[in-house]
Amino acid sequence: MTASPPTGDDLVEMLAALSNPLRLRIVAKLAGGRDYVSRLAREIGVSRPLLHMHLQRLEAAGLIVGSLELSEDGKAMKYYEVADFDLHLTAATLAAAAESLTDPDQGPTRKERS
């Protein structure tokens, strides 16, 4: 079954999320397998609060998914992994996405610029 292309609004959100170099590095790291927040923060070299902010943005864009699990010692651990997405950008897919924008005249929001 072939997935339908993203709507214009979804595409804008996905591309805005990936436009940040740190978020792109996070997705690249998670492409190698799921990981939990503390280890991911250490491996990427950022604080956990900063990582959480970027993880939330990527999750909102549908690029990663998080799940809460209990470790053997009973600690709650948040794991993230890459979502099942397949994004092919061509002039035709961009044109189709532009047709489905809910507000094609609106510029990037504050959220999209971060």
Side-chain angles (χ1 to χ4, degrees):
M1 184 169 151
T2 305
S4 61
T7 66
D9 295 336
D10 291 341
L11 184 60
V12 166
E13 188 170 2
M14 291 172 84
L15 293 176
L18 291 171
S19 70
N20 180 286
L22 180 55
R23 289 193 288 263
L24 192 58
R25 286 178 41 214
I26 292 167
V27 172
K29 183 71 178 153
L30 291 174
R34 72 188 206 121
D35 208 347
Y36 62 94
V37 173
S38 294
R39 183 168 48 200
L40 191 57
R42 283 192 304 274
E43 290 181 1
I44 292 179
V46 298
S47 69
R48 284 185 297 168
L50 179 61
L51 180 63
H52 269 287
M53 181 190 74
H54 288 292
L55 289 169
Q56 288 172 344
R57 181 70 190 275
L58 290 166
E59 193 170 26
L63 298 167
I64 64 171
V65 291
S67 60
L68 197 56
E69 299 178 19
L70 289 178
S71 67
E72 289 181 14
D73 61 357
K75 288 194 313 188
M77 299 175 69
K78 185 81 178 237
Y79 281 86
Y80 284 92
E81 60 189 317
V82 174
D84 186 20
F85 71 92
D86 186 14
L87 186 59
H88 294 277
L89 295 179
T90 64
T93 57
L94 292 175
E99 290 294 319
S100 68
L101 288 168
T102 55
D103 189 358
D105 296 326
Q106 183 177 357
T109 65
R110 188 177 127 289
K111 179 179 162 189
E112 291 166 346
R113 288 189 300 263
S114 62

